[in-house]
């Protein structure tokens, strides 16, 4: 996540003095760790064993993997003494009978994982290959937080803590793919007094960029196959991941051109390039580093670097040639859209918009679709940004005398809160347990379901200054972090419920 610290004090942070953490919250948090640290890891192992990845053949409520996942959650809720409600795409697990409530918001679906890139199955909790780490798809995003929240609630129940508000854990099952069912559910949902999502970063997230995408298709067209051309240009796994791999095949490469390419590849230290010689072609594989696309600085974009490697070649403008040229001229290795017409902008607190080519797929032999993932802060009108994107693509087409299908643009709204009365309490909890006494609210590049709640903020599970591993092909949460999360989430539930 791109995280920015707040340069000014937000208005809702000036209304009250910093509160000390209650002795009750501290005692119950210590109890939670002493009694349930290993239990939450065991439960995490069970949660990650369900491959809750969106399958286009099913709706979530009819998907066998999601059905089994919900059955496990229902069993676990019963074992722990909580109420369980299944609303199809949304599960609610609650403790208490109070009319007022706080809602802790999570999600149980996960992004796809390439099993070939993991030491063990991504859907088996690996606690041995790298001591101190709990490695699995969903360990950080968001099944680790689910397990922690369940045992924070259990510790509170064990100690008969009197709360002004009941505790509600919301687990949505299509956060990574489709927000529409949750938006429909929220129309009749009783909004809580306070909402806290545990799907982002510490100390406290009060601003989130909007998830956006720009898609262009590059259809094949007539070209001279006796000249230098590229084909099968592809890369990436899904739109919200910085691509780790990209591939291309070159035809009619001269010895001098190949030597120049290999020399250039050796000078690009960030990426490993593998050249494979065939009878009449050269295949190139670029190996970067995957990361959550909300934090492109943490990854190494294989698509962008492979296009950069080929940038000095005069390629025929078939579909692959078009895509290579597009990436080089409109995006390049820049992360902030400075080459993409006039779209680049920044916000004082939320930081710059980020722009990353994340997915390049082939519909048929040579009909490519490129997805560019953007994360936009507040500060530029949606219509203006859309017009600037269209204008930049149109100008590129005119320059190269091309006609692409219409640009497909999705621009989600960013969030910047000006009213979050529980933010001070969460900052006090974070400061107490982390030792960081100067903690301030932050902004992230990612987007969570906090946008659908009134005055919702995010609280963990990722520590500031640490790379977020969710969506990467090496997702993990450390033993130390999941223990710290259990302390902070237990204190959070007690203190916010009693505000």
């Amino acid at each position: 996540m791109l995280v920015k610290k707040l340069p000014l004090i937000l208005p809702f942070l000036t209304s009250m003095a910093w509160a000390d953490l209650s002795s009750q919250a501290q005692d119950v948090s210590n109890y939670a760790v002493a009694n349930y640290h290993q239990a939450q890891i065991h439960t995490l192992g069970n949660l990650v064993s369900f491959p809750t990845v969106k399958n286009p053949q099913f709706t979530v409520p009819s998907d066998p993997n999601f059905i089994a996942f919900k059955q496990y959650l229902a069993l676990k809720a019963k074992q722990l003494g909580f109420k369980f409600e299944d609303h199809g795409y949304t599960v609610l697990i609650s403790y208490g009978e109070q009319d007022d409530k706080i809602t802790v918001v999570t999600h149980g679906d996960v992004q796809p994982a390439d099993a070939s890139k993991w030491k063990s199955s991504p859907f088996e909790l690996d606690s041995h290959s790298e001591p101190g780490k709990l490695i699995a798809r969903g360990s950080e995003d968001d099944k680790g937080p689910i397990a922690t929240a369940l045992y924070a609630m259990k510790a509170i129940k064990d100690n008969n803590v009197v709360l002004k508000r009941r505790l509600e854990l919301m687990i949505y099952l299509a956060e990574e793919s489709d927000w529409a069912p949750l938006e429909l559910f929220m129309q009749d949902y009783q909004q809580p007094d306070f909402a806290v999502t545990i799907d982002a970063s510490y100390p406290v997230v009060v601003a989130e960029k909007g998830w956006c995408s720009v898609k262009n298709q590059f259809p094949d067209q007539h070209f001279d196959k006796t000249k230098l051309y590229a084909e099968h240009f592809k890369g990436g796994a899904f739109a919200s991941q910085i691509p780790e791999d990209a591939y291309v095949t070159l035809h009619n490469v001269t010895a001098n051109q190949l030597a120049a390419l290999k020399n250039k590849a050796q000078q690009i230290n960030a990426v490993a390039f593998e050249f494979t010689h065939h009878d009449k072609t050269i295949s190139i594989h670029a190996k970067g580093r995957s990361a959550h696309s909300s934090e492109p600085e943490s990854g190494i974009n294989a698509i962008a670097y492979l296009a950069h490697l080929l940038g000095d070649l005069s390629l025929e403008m078939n579909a692959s040639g078009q895509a290579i040229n597009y990436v080089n001229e409109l995006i390049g290795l820049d992360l902030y859209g400075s080459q993409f017409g006039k779209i680049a902008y920044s916000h004082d607190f939320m930081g710059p918009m980020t722009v990353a080519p994340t997915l390049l797929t082939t519909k048929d032999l040579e009909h490519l679709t490129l997805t560019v993932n953007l994360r936009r802060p507040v500060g530029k009108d949606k219509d203006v940004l859309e017009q600037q994107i269209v204008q930049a693509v149109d100008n590129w087409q005119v320059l190269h005398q091309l006609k692409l299908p219409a640009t497909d643009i999705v621009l989600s709204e960013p969030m910047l809160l000006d009213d979050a009365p529980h933010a001070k309490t969460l900052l006090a909890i974070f400061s107490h347990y982390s030792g960081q006494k100067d903690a301030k609210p932050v902004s992230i590049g990612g987007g969570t379901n906090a946008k659908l709640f009134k005055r919702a903020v995010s609280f963990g599970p990722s520590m500031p200054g640490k790379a977020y591993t969710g969506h990467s092909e090496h997702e993990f949460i450390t033993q130390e972090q999941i223990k710290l999360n259990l302390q902070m989430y237990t204190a959070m539930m007690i203190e916010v419920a009693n505000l």
Side-chain angles (χ1 to χ4, degrees):
M1 276 161 260
L2 180 65
V3 176
K4 293 282 287 183
K5 284 201 171 183
L6 186 62
L8 302 172
I9 299 297
L10 293 173
F12 60 78
L13 293 180
T14 63
S15 59
M16 66 179 87
W18 291 97
D20 292 329
L21 191 61
S22 70
S23 59
Q24 183 181 54
Q26 296 179 53
D27 291 344
V28 179
S29 294
N30 292 336
Y31 170 90
V33 169
N35 289 274
Y36 294 123
H37 173 53
Q38 292 303 322
Q40 69 170 339
I41 294 174
H42 177 76
T43 296
L44 173 58
N46 287 325
L47 292 174
V48 301
S49 70
F50 299 97
T52 48
V53 178
K54 172 62 177 173
N55 185 335
Q57 296 180 351
F58 299 99
T59 63
V60 163
S62 66
D63 188 318
N65 291 321
F66 282 92
I67 291 171
F69 180 69
K70 288 195 287 185
Q71 289 173 339
Y72 175 78
L73 288 173
L75 176 63
K76 182 56 63 176
K78 182 177 181 180
Q79 290 176 344
L80 298 178
F82 303 140
K83 182 180 179 181
F84 178 87
E85 300 175 40
D86 182 355
H87 296 274
Y89 281 84
T90 304
V91 164
L92 300 177
I93 299 174
S94 59
Y95 168 62
E97 301 297 331
Q98 302 91 325
D99 291 333
D100 296 331
K101 65 180 177 179
I102 72 164
T103 300
V104 178
V105 186
T106 67
H107 65 88
D109 60 319
V110 295
Q111 289 284 9
D114 183 346
S116 68
K117 296 179 178 295
W118 298 67
K119 293 179 180 178
S120 300
S121 166
F123 300 106
E124 294 178 5
L125 190 64
D126 175 6
S127 59
H128 303 293
S129 66
E130 298 181 42
K133 293 180 180 179
L134 303 169
I135 306 168
R137 172 59 86 225
S139 55
E140 187 170 37
D141 183 23
D142 210 17
K143 292 178 178 178
I146 291 173
T148 299
L150 286 170
Y151 287 98
M153 293 169 65
K154 174 60 172 169
I156 292 167
K157 181 177 183 293
D158 286 354
N159 286 272
N160 297 310
V161 178
V162 177
L163 301 175
K164 293 180 181 178
R165 301 172 180 87
R166 76 179 186 272
L167 304 175
E168 181 177 79
L169 175 63
M170 174 184 284
I171 305 172
Y172 182 57
L173 300 177
E175 192 270 352
E176 303 286 11
S177 60
D178 185 5
W179 284 28
L182 182 59
E183 291 170 346
L184 181 62
F185 177 79
M186 294 294 290
Q187 292 178 8
D188 298 319
Y189 173 73
Q190 176 198 347
Q191 282 276 352
D193 292 341
F194 303 103
V196 180
T197 70
I198 50 175
D199 182 28
S201 177
Y202 294 113
V204 177
V205 177
V206 297
E208 298 179 356
K209 294 179 180 179
W211 191 100
C212 310
S213 68
V214 177
K215 290 185 181 180
N216 280 109
Q217 291 185 352
F218 304 94
D220 200 17
Q221 62 178 13
H222 179 74
F223 65 98
D224 189 345
K225 291 189 177 182
T226 67
K227 295 183 178 180
L228 176 62
Y229 71 94
E231 67 175 357
H232 306 309
F233 183 38
K234 61 182 181 179
F238 49 91
S240 292
Q241 183 190 74
I242 297 301
E244 185 164 283
D245 297 281
Y247 304 85
V248 74
T249 299
L250 296 179
H251 296 256
N252 306 319
V253 185
T254 67
N256 288 339
Q257 289 169 333
L258 181 58
L261 277 176
K262 290 185 175 181
N263 181 60
K264 185 175 181 180
Q266 290 178 347
Q267 298 175 25
I268 302 175
N269 297 323
V271 178
F273 294 100
E274 179 183 353
F275 291 77
T276 303
H277 296 248
H278 304 283
D279 186 23
K280 296 182 179 181
T281 63
I282 301 293
S283 295
I284 306 174
H285 170 208
K287 175 80 169 181
R289 185 175 67 239
S290 62
H292 198 298
S293 65
S294 67
E295 192 182 36
E297 299 89 347
S298 295
I300 299 173
N301 195 311
I303 291 177
Y305 272 95
L306 182 53
H308 174 71
L309 176 70
L310 306 176
D312 298 328
L313 300 176
S314 296
L315 297 170
E316 289 293 287
M317 290 292 274
N318 60 342
S320 287
Q322 294 168 44
I324 292 165
N325 189 291
Y326 180 107
V327 171
N328 278 326
E329 294 191 355
L330 291 184
I331 304 171
L333 300 181
D334 176 70
L335 303 178
Y336 309 112
S338 63
Q339 297 175 206
F340 210 113
K342 299 180 180 179
I343 72 170
Y345 72 106
S346 185
H347 182 266
D348 288 345
F349 173 42
M350 297 182 71
M353 180 173 67
T354 60
V355 179
T358 54
L359 187 61
L360 190 59
T361 57
T362 305
K363 182 178 180 181
D364 46 46
L365 181 61
E366 278 298 307
H367 188 104
L368 306 184
T369 299
L370 174 68
T371 300
V372 180
N373 189 223
L374 296 79
R375 305 294 176 122
R376 62 181 285 248
V378 298
K380 180 177 285 192
D381 184 79
K382 178 179 178 180
D383 292 338
V384 172
L385 179 57
E386 181 171 2
Q387 182 180 10
Q388 290 175 338
I389 292 169
V390 171
Q391 187 64 60
V393 176
D394 285 349
N395 289 346
W396 181 84
Q397 292 178 81
V398 170
L399 178 64
H400 294 284
Q401 298 181 345
L402 294 170
K403 182 62 177 178
L404 305 182
T407 302
D408 181 5
I409 301 173
V410 175
L411 299 178
S412 299
E413 291 298 328
M415 178 193 82
L416 177 60
L417 291 180
D418 59 6
D419 180 22
H422 51 319
K424 273 191 172 182
T425 298
L426 298 177
L427 286 170
I429 293 169
F430 176 80
S431 293
H432 177 86
Y433 285 107
S434 71
Q436 298 182 26
K437 302 304 181 183
D438 62 342
K440 299 290 191 299
V442 297
S443 171
I444 60 170
T448 74
N449 292 144
K451 291 183 173 72
L452 303 183
F453 291 80
K454 298 176 182 176
R455 303 187 306 186
V457 300
S458 292
F459 190 55
S462 175
M463 291 295 282
K466 300 288 181 68
Y468 188 67
T469 65
H471 294 210
S472 78
E473 298 297 351
H474 186 240
E475 181 176 354
F476 67 88
I477 192 166
T478 65
Q479 290 257 12
E480 178 184 11
Q481 187 61 49
I482 201 170
K483 180 184 290 187
L484 181 61
N485 289 345
L486 183 55
Q487 287 183 298
M488 290 198 281
Y489 288 175
T490 305
M492 172 265 288
M493 291 181 185
I494 294 172
E495 301 290 68
V496 175
N498 283 330
L499 279 178

